[in-house]
């Protein structure tokens, strides 16, 4: 019988692998100027807290300017930017934006920035898509830094420190946990903790606050104890601040890994502690209020 002939010989496979590697290396080399331009933009913008809000908006526009021709390369209007357009002019004035566009293939004449590429140029489309993703990540970074800078301005002890993007998230997380962990000996001290509970809740659930969550992760056990203590304090003083209790519960639910026996045990222990905190001192009567309502004719 005839022997089956392999579709590819070993030499063919090696040749194909080398070709793929060369193609990948070529793509990486083509994208390198884009990566450098995005990183330069990112580094320059992260040290200007007074510009975070505006820069975040402008970088969001840049992301669209790159995403549109990547998603619709056959559409000519997405490949030409009019320099006299107010939005385009504003965005181009943001540090690093023009350099990113030029690295992606845009070139300027007297009136326009134009991307000269064929709709079938898959390498150029891939480069634009990668650039748009990198720029989107830079926008999220600016949104996070803007929030951190805003909180710093609200807290004198933090505002007194010189701004540095490196370590800003970690410093804020530590300040947040220190404030929530502080003992509350009276209602005023307890009230002072509530804004920090709000910040901790936002830190844990806002999508753009990634660096803050990374800084919080190794301190989860500290956060759990602080939040439990605050919740029990709120219950003991008979606080009617339901929102704060809900936010504390949300944070604890996020910090306790689901599906683990120790998580269930911790939640049960905390539930019993909350019930005990809600009880009046021994010997005092417990008042229970019952509200009746009419529903369905009953």
């Amino acid at each position: 019988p005839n022997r089956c002939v392999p579709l590819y010989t070993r030499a063919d496979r090696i040749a194909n692998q080398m070709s793929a590697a060369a193609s990948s290396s070529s793509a990486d080399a083509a994208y390198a100027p884009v990566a450098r331009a995005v990183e330069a933009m990112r580094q320059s913008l992260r040290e200007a807290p007074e510009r975070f809000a505006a820069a975040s908006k402008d970088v969001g526009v840049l992301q669209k300017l790159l995403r549109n021709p990547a998603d619709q390369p056959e559409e000519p209007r997405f490949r030409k930017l009019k320099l006299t357009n107010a939005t385009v002019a504003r965005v181009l004035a943001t540090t690093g934006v023009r350099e990113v566009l030029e690295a992606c293939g845009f070139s300027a004449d007297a009136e326009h920035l134009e991307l000269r590429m064929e709709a079938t140029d898959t390498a150029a489309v891939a480069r634009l898509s990668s650039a748009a993703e990198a720029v989107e990540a830079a926008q999220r970074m600016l949104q996070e830094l803007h929030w951190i800078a805003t909180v710093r301005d609200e807290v004198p002890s933090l505002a007194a420190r010189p701004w540095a993007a490196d370590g800003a998230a970690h410093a804020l997380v530590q300040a947040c946990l220190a404030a929530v962990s502080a003992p509350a000996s009276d209602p005023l001290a307890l009230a002072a903790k509530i804004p920090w509970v709000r910040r901790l809740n936002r830190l844990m659930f806002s999508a753009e606050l990634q660096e803050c969550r990374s800084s919080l992760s190794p301190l989860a056990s500290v956060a759990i104890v602080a939040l439990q203590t605050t919740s029990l304090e709120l219950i003991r003083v008979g606080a009617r601040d339901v929102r704060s209790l809900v936010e504390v519960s949300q944070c604890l639910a996020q910090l306790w890994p689901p599906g683990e026996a120790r998580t269930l045990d911790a939640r049960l222990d905390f539930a019993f502690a909350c019930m005990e905190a809600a009880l009046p001192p021994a010997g005092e009567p417990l008042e229970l209020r019952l509200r009746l309502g009419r529903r369905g004719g009953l």
Side-chain angles (χ1 to χ4, degrees), residues 147 151 155 158 161 169-183 192-193 195-201 203-204 212-230 233 251-252 255:
W147 182 73
V151 173
V155 182
L158 292 177
R161 304 177 190 176
H170 183 67
L172 180 60
V173 167
Q174 286 187 318
C176 193
L177 292 181
V180 177
S181 300
K193 296 172 71 169
W196 289 101
V197 171
R198 304 259 191 281
R199 290 165 183 146
L200 186 58
N201 184 275
L203 182 156
M204 294 180 64
C212 288
R213 278 193 294 279
S214 296
S215 296
L216 177 65
S217 182
L219 300 172
S221 59
V222 177
I224 288 171
V225 173
L227 288 164
Q228 287 178 313
T229 301
T230 299
E233 289 169 343
C251 291
L252 288 171
L255 290 165

Side-chain angles (χ1 to χ4, degrees), residues 206-261:
S206 293
E208 71 275 10
L209 302 183
Q210 297 176 357
E211 189 67 26
C212 288
R213 278 193 294 279
S214 296
S215 296
L216 177 65
S217 182
L219 300 172
S221 59
V222 177
I224 288 171
V225 173
L227 288 164
Q228 287 178 313
T229 301
T230 299
S231 182
L232 295 175
E233 289 169 343
L234 285 167
I235 293 171
R236 288 192 187 103
V237 300
R240 299 181 181 276
D241 189 356
V242 177
R243 176 185 171 186
S244 294
L245 286 170
V246 169
E247 289 177 336
V248 168
S249 299
Q250 290 173 335
C251 291
L252 288 171
Q254 187 77 3
L255 290 165
W256 273 320
E260 296 184 10

Side-chain angles (χ1 to χ4, degrees), residues 224 253-268:
I224 288 171
Q254 187 77 3
L255 290 165
W256 273 320
E260 296 184 10
R262 65 186 180 90
T263 294
L264 178 59
D265 292 341
R267 293 187 185 204
L268 288 173

Side-chain angles (χ1 to χ4, degrees), residues 47-72:
E47 297 300 341
E50 71 283 355
R51 286 276 300 145
F52 285 156
S56 174
K57 183 185 296 185
D58 292 343
V59 169
V61 175
L62 172 61
Q63 191 259 345
K64 292 180 180 178
L65 295 178
L66 297 170
R67 182 71 69 188
N68 285 338
D71 290 345
Q72 301 181 60

Side-chain angles (χ1 to χ4, degrees), residues 19-211:
S19 176
S23 176
S24 177
S25 298
S26 176
D28 290 344
Y31 183 67
V34 179
R36 287 194 296 268
V38 173
E39 182 60 18
M41 179 188 72
R42 179 179 173 278
Q43 290 296 333
S44 65
L45 293 176
R46 70 200 297 264
E47 297 300 341
E50 71 283 355
R51 286 276 300 145
F52 285 156
S56 174
K57 183 185 296 185
D58 292 343
V59 169
V61 175
L62 172 61
Q63 191 259 345
K64 292 180 180 178
L65 295 178
L66 297 170
R67 182 71 69 188
N68 285 338
D71 290 345
Q72 301 181 60
E74 72 287 347
E75 182 56 65
R77 64 191 176 95
F78 291 140
R79 301 201 297 270
K80 183 176 287 191
L81 310 176
K82 184 176 291 188
L83 297 176
T84 54
N85 179 281
T87 299
V88 170
R90 188 196 75 230
V91 171
L92 288 175
T94 300
T95 304
V97 167
R98 181 183 287 268
E99 288 77 6
V100 170
L101 288 168
E102 290 175 348
C104 289
F106 283 85
S107 58
D109 58 27
E111 297 181 353
H112 300 91
L113 266 178
E114 186 172 359
L115 177 62
R116 293 179 173 84
M117 59 169 265
E118 298 294 332
T120 55
D121 189 345
T122 56
V125 169
R127 186 164 61 249
L128 287 168
S129 294
S130 297
E133 290 174 6
V135 168
E136 186 178 7
Q139 183 188 25
R140 288 196 299 269
M141 176 206 71
L142 288 169
Q143 290 170 339
E144 180 169 25
L145 290 176
H146 175 55
W147 182 73
I148 293 172
T150 300
V151 173
R152 277 171 49 92
D153 290 343
E154 296 169 352
V155 182
S157 61
L158 292 177
R161 304 177 190 176
W163 170 261
D166 289 335
H170 183 67
L172 180 60
V173 167
Q174 286 187 318
C176 193
L177 292 181
V180 177
S181 300
S185 55
D186 56 68
L188 285 178
L190 182 57
K193 296 172 71 169
I194 300 308
W196 289 101
V197 171
R198 304 259 191 281
R199 290 165 183 146
L200 186 58
N201 184 275
R202 179 169 179 182
L203 182 156
M204 294 180 64
F205 291 98
S206 293
E208 71 275 10
L209 302 183
Q210 297 176 357
E211 189 67 26

